[in-house]
Amino acid sequence: MSYPFQINSLAQYHADYKAAAENPDVFWANVAENFYWRKKWDKALDWNFTEPKIEWFAGGKLNITENCIDRHLATMADKPAIIWEPNNPEERVRTVTYARLHKRVCQFAQVLKNNAVKKGDRVCIYMGMVPELAYAVLGCARIGAIHSVIFGGFSAQSIADRLEDAQATFIVTCDGAYRGEKVIPLKAVIDDALIGNKTVKKVIVYTRTRTPVSMIKGRDIWWEDEMDIAEDQIEKNGVVSFKAEEMDAEDPLFILYTSGSTGKPKGVVHTCAGYMIWTTYTFVNMFQYNQGDIHFCTADIGWITGHSYILYGPLAAGATSLMFEGIPTFPNAGRFWDIIDKHQVNILYTAPTALRSLMSFGDEHLLGKNLTSLKTLGTVGEPINEEAWHWYDDNIGKNKCPIIDTWWQTETGGCLITNLAGITPAKPGWATLPMPGVQPVIVDEKGNEVTEADEHGMLKGNLCIKAPWPGILRTTYGDHERCRVNYFATYPNVYFTGDGALKDAEGNYRITGRVDDVLNISGHRIGTAEVENAINMHSGVVESAVVGYPHDIKGQGIYAFVIYNGHHGDENLRRQDISQTVAKIIGAIAKPDKIQFVKGLPKTRSGKIMRRILRKIAEGETENLGDITTLLDPDVVAEIKDGKV
Ligand code: PRX
């Protein structure tokens, strides 16, 4: 069965693309008719990119959880909404039907209410990939609390900064999380994050690993106890109910922090209706989801991909979403293929870095694995190199499954540029065509639209988007000006993505990577300024400069040039201390891959670090470093080149 807004042919793609570009309000109002509204909207779209002000479906009233759960109950109560595969393959799989999901989400909404959490309050969620994380996210949405999920790899300091920025009052966490062989003590990290915090009133702890935890009287409560109390409150005569809060279309749904080119992560804000419609529409169309398909997105819910394509998009579409607690290499590098075989997965959505990593373990992990259930493959998070693309196509899809290369960002809510599985043509390494509703434009440094093709027939420049789609970010939490400056002020009247792109004569886009000081490490965004700030926290460090360099598995690695003046001694120990400092300040994901000690950094006379030169050196370039005559001290360049690690 297909969805009313499902694109079924190339001709329809072109027709829908045209319709959405010419009359976005009419086009999206038609799509919005397929959702459950308590009250329909007054105006489908109102916008300007100067403030920016973007409103979709203003005046409409809804609750996203009624769309993700309640409306499916009449026909699909017993259908699995979430299939949960544990870290340890020996442990029991949990299958959460839509009826069960409804009950648990209502229960958790009641827990929040019992603990004085109200509409608009900010709730921080720091959990492993357990079904309870889904209940927590959706429970917040049910009462209208704004969730801010923080990836389990972030440090106490990162959490503390985010709690402060969001002025969060409630935390949901676990005692610990399993990741392969390791147990991550999440509650202990939260305890550290709360030192000095003034806003958080309660911390609820779900028991997953039975890691010993300190429970502070009056502040810390157990998930299991609270859920038991709530169960009696929400269930009367066998009927489960917790009335969902009525939300305005433009009320905030969640905050998700992401790195930019400054030192401080930004709280990207998405709102209820536009985000719901965008994630559902893109989910159905890019994967060509059909009822009954089992969808496996390998992302963590701590990132936008998990929000949009494990939870909200699939659930609003009434899909079955497979949620995996573990890592691709535990107990061995065949784990994804085991999961696909075991659960008869139809759609696999993963990151190129995971594919490159699994490729490196050799093809023996594929032996004996039945992957014939697969119909569609997808990638996200970074450009995919052709070698990985062909490996995916040959070994996983057996040349029978379309591969979609989905380009998007935390800020875009859902995918903007991709081929649609089996409908629009794929081109390895290319994200290809924009979704209906997305109007990309390539501009030069000054913001002028690039119209002249280069010698290869390509338009080349910075990627911007001319008009809003329903899933675009609305603001950055607590600081609208920051949103304007970051995304809408670089070039007038367009949304600036921060990415560079090529466009071919057929209108296909290839994303070439960030053009700002943002790194993409294993598909995760990390700002160079953030890493530098963390390195500079080390007592012996005078100054540092961080750039990316090509890394076989991670896509990009972190290369740090460090001026060190602390107590000397073994260089490797110093490197470890610096890495440890970064892990404490940001999290292990931001640890530099390479640290080079230098006497000076290449700076202009005005004191600006010339990263262009450092980037070239980190990439292994020794000759063509470009013009270095404007440097304050050109001699440092030779020294840095000689000391490359
Ligand atoms: O540089 C682009 C890259 O990831 C950035 C967005 O990162 P984040 O907000 O963490 O979201 C990642 C998951 C949506 C983009 O600015 N990126 C994402 N997808 C692709 C990509 N680069 C190339 N091809 C992609 N398919």
Side-chain angles (χ1 to χ4, degrees):
M1 191 192 89
S2 71
Y3 294 78
F5 47 80
Q6 192 157 351
I7 298 168
N8 293 310
S9 66
L10 186 58
Q12 193 192 342
Y13 163 76
H14 287 299
D16 285 2
Y17 188 85
K18 188 161 176 281
E22 285 172 358
N23 288 306
D25 41 356
V26 176
F27 183 86
W28 292 107
N30 277 332
V31 175
E33 292 288 348
N34 296 286
F35 291 80
Y36 172 70
W37 298 84
R38 296 259 186 100
K39 174 184 169 288
K40 291 272 171 71
W41 55 94
D42 301 322
K43 191 168 184 197
L45 173 61
D46 191 13
W47 69 286
N48 71 68
F49 274 171
T50 37
E51 292 176 57
K53 174 186 157 192
I54 302 150
E55 288 184 352
W56 282 97
F57 311 106
K61 306 271 186 199
L62 77 164
N63 186 291
I64 195 167
T65 68
E66 290 184 330
N67 281 279
C68 288
I69 311 171
D70 303 49
R71 67 171 171 152
H72 305 316
L73 294 177
T75 52
M76 305 194 284
D78 297 329
K79 175 175 176 173
I82 296 173
I83 297 174
W84 178 76
E85 168 72 20
N87 179 62
N88 180 346
E90 308 286 309
E91 200 184 324
R92 186 175 59 90
V93 167
R94 289 166 63 185
T95 301
V96 183
T97 61
Y98 274 95
R100 174 54 60 112
L101 183 64
H102 176 250
K103 177 170 174 182
R104 292 286 181 248
V105 169
C106 287
Q107 240 173 305
F108 192 69
Q110 181 70 42
V111 168
L112 291 169
K113 187 173 170 194
N114 291 347
N115 285 283
V117 178
K118 300 180 304 299
K119 175 178 177 176
D121 289 351
R122 274 79 54 215
V123 173
C124 162
I125 303 177
Y126 186 67
M127 300 173 86
M129 286 282 287
V130 284
E132 285 69 18
L133 165 57
Y135 310 155
V137 165
L138 296 165
C140 286
R142 191 134 181 118
I143 68 157
I146 302 169
H147 58 76
S148 165
V149 184
I150 300 179
F151 173 61
F154 280 115
S155 70
Q157 184 62 51
S158 291
I159 300 167
D161 294 344
R162 287 158 171 77
L163 291 172
E164 167 75 24
D165 188 79
Q167 296 282 293
T169 55
F170 194 89
I171 296 180
V172 193
T173 190
C174 303
D175 52 350
Y178 292 119
R179 272 187 72 75
E181 312 261 12
K182 289 197 217 138
V183 175
I184 319 284
L186 298 181
K187 172 62 165 61
V189 179
I190 289 291
D191 289 338
D192 287 347
L194 284 174
I195 297 169
N197 174 284
K198 295 200 175 56
T199 56
V200 172
K201 305 272 189 310
K202 291 267 172 75
V203 178
I204 188 165
V205 184
Y206 171 71
T207 311
R208 170 66 186 128
T209 54
R210 292 190 146 267
T211 303
V213 288
S214 71
M215 294 294 282
I216 307 293
K217 193 178 289 168
R219 187 193 74 183
D220 298 350
I221 52 180
W222 291 109
W223 171 285
E224 295 75 8
D225 295 349
E226 297 290 317
M227 288 292 267
D228 280 351
I229 298 169
E231 186 161 19
D232 296 334
Q233 294 167 287
I234 61 150
E235 199 163 343
K236 293 213 170 54
N237 307 324
V239 180
V240 173
S241 77
F242 180 96
K243 194 162 172 23
E245 185 75 28
E246 186 166 285
M247 305 293 284
D248 285 334
E250 282 295 333
D251 276 337
L253 173 64
F254 66 84
I255 305 171
L256 188 58
Y257 285 87
T258 189
S259 297
S261 41
T262 62
K264 196 173 152 246
K266 303 174 283 238
V268 167
V269 175
H270 285 289
T271 55
C272 296
Y275 175 81
M276 169 182 79
I277 287 164
W278 190 247
T279 52
T280 316
Y281 178 85
T282 52
F283 170 73
V284 165
N285 280 306
M286 68 197 203
F287 295 111
Q288 288 293 306
Y289 185 83
N290 285 308
Q291 283 294 344
D293 286 348
I294 295 180
H295 170 74
F296 177 20
C297 165
T298 70
D300 190 288
I301 290 174
W303 306 103
I304 191 70
T305 307
H307 281 59
S308 302
Y309 298 119
I310 297 178
L311 294 181
Y312 287 114
L315 295 176
T320 298
S321 184
L322 194 145
M323 179 175 178
F324 174 41
E325 182 185 37
I327 56 171
T329 49
F330 177 79
N332 58 53
R335 187 67 193 277
F336 279 179
W337 326 129
D338 283 329
I339 294 175
I340 291 164
D341 191 342
K342 175 170 165 188
H343 297 284
Q344 294 291 290
V345 167
N346 305 109
I347 302 169
L348 174 66
Y349 190 35
T350 193
T353 186
L355 297 174
R356 287 192 298 268
S357 158
L358 297 177
M359 265 167 74
S360 75
F361 285 89
D363 293 347
E364 67 266 22
H365 291 287
L366 284 156
L367 290 178
K369 311 289 158 77
N370 182 351
L371 305 180
T372 50
S373 56
L374 285 172
K375 296 200 291 202
T376 301
L377 305 176
T379 68
V380 59
E382 47 174 329
I384 182 162
N385 49 312
E386 292 209 15
E387 191 193 355
W389 194 97
H390 286 293
W391 185 83
Y392 203 20
D393 189 32
D394 294 343
N395 294 284
I396 310 306
K398 317 280 186 205
N399 307 115
K400 290 199 184 98
C401 303
I403 300 178
I404 59 172
D405 177 350
T406 68
W407 171 82
W408 56 295
Q409 310 178 300
T410 305
E411 294 85 346
T412 69
C415 178
L416 297 200
I417 304 184
T418 180
N419 49 315
L420 309 179
I423 303 285
T424 65
K427 185 169 174 182
W430 290 68
T432 75
L433 299 173
M435 282 279 173
V438 177
Q439 300 182 44
V441 54
I442 296 200
V443 303
D444 64 17
E445 289 292 304
K446 296 201 181 74
N448 299 316
E449 183 163 350
V450 176
T451 48
E452 299 263 314
D454 66 7
E455 67 273 25
H456 308 291
M458 306 282 175
L459 303 179
K460 187 174 175 189
N462 295 341
L463 181 64
C464 295
I465 317 283
K466 278 190 208 165
W469 60 98
I472 188 173
L473 88 162
R474 302 301 196 264
T475 190
T476 45
Y477 191 78
D479 193 349
H480 194 60
E481 177 60 9
R482 195 160 175 218
C483 173
R484 188 186 71 80
V485 169
N486 260 289
Y487 306 105
F488 300 94
T490 315
Y491 306 117
N493 298 319
V494 290
Y495 165 81
F496 176 45
T497 65
D499 279 319
L502 300 175
K503 184 181 181 185
D504 72 9
E506 281 82 50
N508 293 304
Y509 290 86
R510 179 187 181 107
I511 311 301
T512 50
R514 301 290 303 196
V515 293
D516 52 7
D517 288 323
V518 171
L519 305 178
N520 190 331
I521 313 297
S522 301
H524 298 142
R525 252 160 87 168
I526 298 177
T528 51
E530 253 178 281
V531 183
E532 287 166 6
N533 288 348
I535 293 176
N536 297 349
M537 298 285 282
H538 183 284
S539 61
V541 171
V542 179
E543 197 179 4
S544 64
V546 163
V547 296
Y549 72 98
H551 187 288
D552 285 350
I553 306 284
K554 296 176 167 187
Q556 261 189 321
I558 301 180
Y559 196 120
F561 298 89
V562 175
I563 305 178
Y564 188 86
N565 193 17
H567 103 105
H568 287 265
D570 187 83
E571 277 208 351
N572 275 331
L573 284 177
R574 266 193 266 155
R575 287 196 179 95
Q576 285 174 28
D577 288 346
I578 290 170
S579 286
Q580 193 57 26
T581 311
V582 174
K584 276 279 174 219
I585 302 293
I586 306 176
I589 47 170
K591 278 189 188 176
D593 297 278
K594 292 186 179 180
I595 298 177
Q596 179 181 345
F597 294 107
V598 296
K599 293 214 182 68
L601 293 167
K603 286 190 181 170
T604 60
R605 290 195 180 83
S606 60
K608 203 169 160 290
I609 297 173
M610 301 256 307
R611 289 164 190 288
R612 171 175 59 78
I613 296 174
L614 294 176
R615 223 173 279 132
K616 288 215 160 152
I617 296 175
E619 284 167 5
E621 176 78 60
T622 49
E623 297 307 318
N624 302 316
L625 296 179
D627 181 13
I628 59 168
T629 54
T630 55
L631 289 180
L632 190 60
D633 176 9
D635 291 344
V636 296
V637 175
E639 184 234 310
I640 296 174
K641 260 196 322 198
D642 291 344
K644 184 174 179 307
V645 288

